[in-house]
């Protein structure tokens, strides 16, 4: 039986035809007889049973009924009977500088007495190729890294060069209202700004690296001047927009989210979770054509992990980085005197966390208002693992009343908007890049069936999880 990582270097034809030398010479693949799901459409037109998908090189050449769609001679065939085909998934909120384990955010839980943060960061850099692979194994062919150190830009470069990596869009260091000194090892992921001029100066530095987004960490504390903070965000946004770059903002309170929208935010990377969104918020969001990313699981991930009640899902056992899975049990071996105080308290009084009722309510309101919702996990934060965390996130989204088809839309056609690649990915059509997932179960019957992956195809190349 192949090891977990064995599949990543295998080409589609060598796995599927039993004739790797001959198959490697062809650039045409045919998926024959599958049910194709078009998440950008409503039912019943979203479902096309008994279809054939022809892939030529990196792109989809045609999709049509199996009975009338000819398979080119020499094509590598994939039997699609009893299978479902969806576009490659897109996670619109990840952080590669973080691993998902206990040691990745010393500003939240400081384990330096047991595991130096510098060692954790070096591990993450060395393990980048494996992290790319768990994304593909989870059916995720594109991700948005929405903020990290300047070496984030090297992550994007590495993904472009790798034969087994998702597409990566990036933001650089977060422009922040507060310091996070414990994360500063010389290339900080979060940089405090105190004026509009400082905001513009940091944006200029980041624009030299051609970011896909400029990101602001809009933290508003009691006593802060909201108008002055809004002016800094607007300065950052204006500088970004002048260079054709979008503005992403972390804003989890209603007044902060509305200030962000007034300042020009294009992407709200978290839920509004302190109050119900109102008509003013919805009007501002529509005016900006904003993307809204709920990130519903990430807070639960912290609470599970730091109370030692985190347990892997079946998908995480199959697909996550085994190094990170093993580290999730470390609280059982760390000496009590080396535990952060908040962790020791959480372990002594564990409380099963629940998704935020307000966040779920706001997700439904935003969706019903026609504002594009994009699926994002905030992967890399403690307890939210790269790759299979998407299945936790999408299951919670259904608790807001979204159907599996609607959730799939947030992770495909809507997600392509976050990537800035609507013309090339997110839907299945002739001429689009061949990013798709072949499933063993119907994703519209149960959104968790998206984890039942038979093959992942990215850029026309197939991988088996």
């Amino acid at each position: 039986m192949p090891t977990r990582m064995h599949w990543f270097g295998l080409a589609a034809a060598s796995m599927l035809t039993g004739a790797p030398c001959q198959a490697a010479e062809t650039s045409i693949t045919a998926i024959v007889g599958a049910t194709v799901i078009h998440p950008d459409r409503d039912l019943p037109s979203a479902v096309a049973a008994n279809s054939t998908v022809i892939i030529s090189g990196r792109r989809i050449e045609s999709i049509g009924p199996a009975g009338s769609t000819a398979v080119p001679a020499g094509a590598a065939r994939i039997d699609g009977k009893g299978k479902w085909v969806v576009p490659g998934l897109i996670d619109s909120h990840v952080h590669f500088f973080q691993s998902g384990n206990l040691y990745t955010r010393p500003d939240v839980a400081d384990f330096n007495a047991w595991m130096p943060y510098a060692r954790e960061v070096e591990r993450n850099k060395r393990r980048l190729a494996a992290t790319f692979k768990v994304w593909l194994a989870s059916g995720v062919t594109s991700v948005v890294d929405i903020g990290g150190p300047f070496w984030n830009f090297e992550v994007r470069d590495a993904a472009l060069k790798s034969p087994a990596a998702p597409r990566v869009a990036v933001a650089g260091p977060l422009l922040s209202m507060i310091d996070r000194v414990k994360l500063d090892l010389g290339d900080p992921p979060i940089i405090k700004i105190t004026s509009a001029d400082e905001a513009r100066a940091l944006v200029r530095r980041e624009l030299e690296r051609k970011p896909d987004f400029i990101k602001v960490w809009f933290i508003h504390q009691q006593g802060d001047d909201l108008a002055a903070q809004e002016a800094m965000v607007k300065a950052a946004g204006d500088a970004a927009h002048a260079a054709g770059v979008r503005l992403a903002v972390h804003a989890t309170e209603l007044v902060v989210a509305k200030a962000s929208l007034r300042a020009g935010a294009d992407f709200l990377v978290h839920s509004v979770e302190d109050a119900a969104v109102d008509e003013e918020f919805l009007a501002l969001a529509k005016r900006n054509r904003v993307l809204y990313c709920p990130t519903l699981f990430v807070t639960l991930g912290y609470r599970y992990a730091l109370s030692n009640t985190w347990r892997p899902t079946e998908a995480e056992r199959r697909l996550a980085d085994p190094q990170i899975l093993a580290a999730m049990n470390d609280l059982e071996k760390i000496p009590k005197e080396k535990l952060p105080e908040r962790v020791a308290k959480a372990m002594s009084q564990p409380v099963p966390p629940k998704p935020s009722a307000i966040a779920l309510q706001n997700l439904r309101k935003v969706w019903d208002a026609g504002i594009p919702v994009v699926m994002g996990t905030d992967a890399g934060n403690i307890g939210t693992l790269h790759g299979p965390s998407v299945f936790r996130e999408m299951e919670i989204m259904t608790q807001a009343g979204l159907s599996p088809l609607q959730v799939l839309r947030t992770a495909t056609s809507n997600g392509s908007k976050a990537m800035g690649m609507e013309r090339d990915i997110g839907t299945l059509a002739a001429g689009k890049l061949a990013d798709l997932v072949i499933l063993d179960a119907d994703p519209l019957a149960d959104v968790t069936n998206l984890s039942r992956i038979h093959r992942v195809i990215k850029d026309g190349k197939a991988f088996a999880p």
Side-chain angles (χ1 to χ4, degrees), residues 169-408:
V170 297
L174 282 60
L175 286 71
S176 174
M177 311 298 173
I178 58 175
D179 278 320
R180 277 294 186 258
V181 294
K182 289 185 177 182
L183 299 179
D184 187 354
L185 299 176
D187 182 10
I190 296 170
I191 298 175
K192 184 177 179 179
I193 54 170
T194 59
S195 69
D197 284 342
E198 287 184 6
R200 283 186 282 264
L202 182 50
V203 170
R204 282 196 297 271
R205 283 181 61 200
E206 297 194 23
L207 288 175
E208 293 174 3
R209 305 294 294 272
K210 300 189 184 307
D212 298 287
F213 288 94
I214 294 294
K215 166 82 172 289
V216 174
W217 208 35
F218 195 160
I219 306 298
H220 178 70
Q221 299 174 316
Q222 188 172 3
D224 288 344
D225 184 336
L226 183 66
Q229 291 181 317
E230 182 179 329
M232 287 190 284
V233 178
K234 187 175 189 306
D238 288 348
H241 292 154
V245 175
R246 290 176 289 173
L247 176 67
V249 184
H250 169 122
T252 56
E253 300 83 26
L254 182 59
V255 294
V256 178
K258 289 196 283 192
S260 302
L261 292 169
R262 288 193 298 268
D266 303 291
F267 186 13
L268 294 178
V269 301
H270 287 290
S271 296
V272 173
E273 52 191 36
D274 71 323
V277 296
D278 56 18
E279 290 304 318
E280 181 186 16
F281 171 90
L282 297 174
L284 287 167
K286 289 177 182 178
R287 182 198 71 180
N288 288 23
R289 298 181 180 179
V290 80
L291 302 177
Y292 184 88
C293 186
T295 60
L296 299 167
F297 176 73
V298 64
T299 301
L300 280 65
Y302 274 96
R303 292 175 180 169
Y304 282 126
L306 298 181
S307 64
N308 201 31
T309 58
W310 190 96
R311 299 293 181 268
T313 62
E314 187 274 334
E316 286 164 343
R317 285 193 294 271
R318 283 189 290 114
L319 301 170
D321 184 335
Q323 281 192 5
I324 302 303
L325 278 179
M328 297 308 291
N329 294 320
D330 280 4
L331 286 178
E332 296 174 6
K333 66 182 182 183
I334 298 174
K336 289 184 179 179
E337 66 271 15
K338 294 184 182 294
L339 290 174
E341 183 179 350
R342 68 170 294 180
V343 175
K345 182 179 179 181
M347 290 175 65
S348 67
Q349 302 172 352
V351 178
K354 296 180 180 179
S356 163
I358 294 175
L360 291 172
Q361 172 188 323
N362 285 339
L363 168 55
R364 185 68 203 211
K365 283 188 174 181
V366 167
W367 180 274
D368 289 344
I371 295 160
V373 174
V374 297
M375 187 277 294
T377 59
D378 212 353
N381 279 281
I382 296 174
T384 302
L385 276 53
H386 288 283
S389 60
V390 295
F391 307 120
R392 292 190 190 251
E393 184 71 23
M394 290 188 287
E395 192 279 326
I396 297 176
M397 293 176 82
T398 66
Q399 296 178 33
L402 271 63
S403 70
L405 177 61
Q406 290 169 332
V407 172
L408 182 58

Side-chain angles (χ1 to χ4, degrees), residues 31 33-34 36 38 48-54 62-69:
I31 307 166
V36 174
H38 297 280
N50 195 24
S51 296
T52 289
V53 182
I54 306 295
S62 62
I63 301 177
S68 58
T69 302

Side-chain angles (χ1 to χ4, degrees), residues 26-63:
T26 183
S27 62
I28 300 178
T29 300
I31 307 166
V32 182
T35 296
V36 174
I37 306 294
H38 297 280
D40 52 314
R41 306 175 187 173
D42 293 325
L43 292 171
S45 61
V47 179
N50 195 24
S51 296
T52 289
V53 182
I54 306 295
I55 297 168
S56 180
R58 299 176 63 212
R59 295 189 180 268
I60 297 171
E61 182 175 284
S62 62
I63 301 177

Side-chain angles (χ1 to χ4, degrees), residues 41-111:
R41 306 175 187 173
D42 293 325
L43 292 171
S45 61
V47 179
N50 195 24
S51 296
T52 289
V53 182
I54 306 295
I55 297 168
S56 180
R58 299 176 63 212
R59 295 189 180 268
I60 297 171
E61 182 175 284
S62 62
I63 301 177
S68 58
T69 302
V71 176
R77 284 178 176 253
I78 299 175
D79 184 1
K81 291 178 181 177
K83 309 294 184 189
W84 287 258
V85 176
V86 299
L89 303 180
I90 299 166
D91 189 325
S92 295
H93 189 150
V94 313
H95 297 284
F96 280 107
F97 82 96
Q98 300 174 161
S99 68
N101 70 17
L102 297 167
Y103 313 118
T104 205
R105 285 297 297 267
D107 57 324
V108 177
D110 191 343
F111 287 93

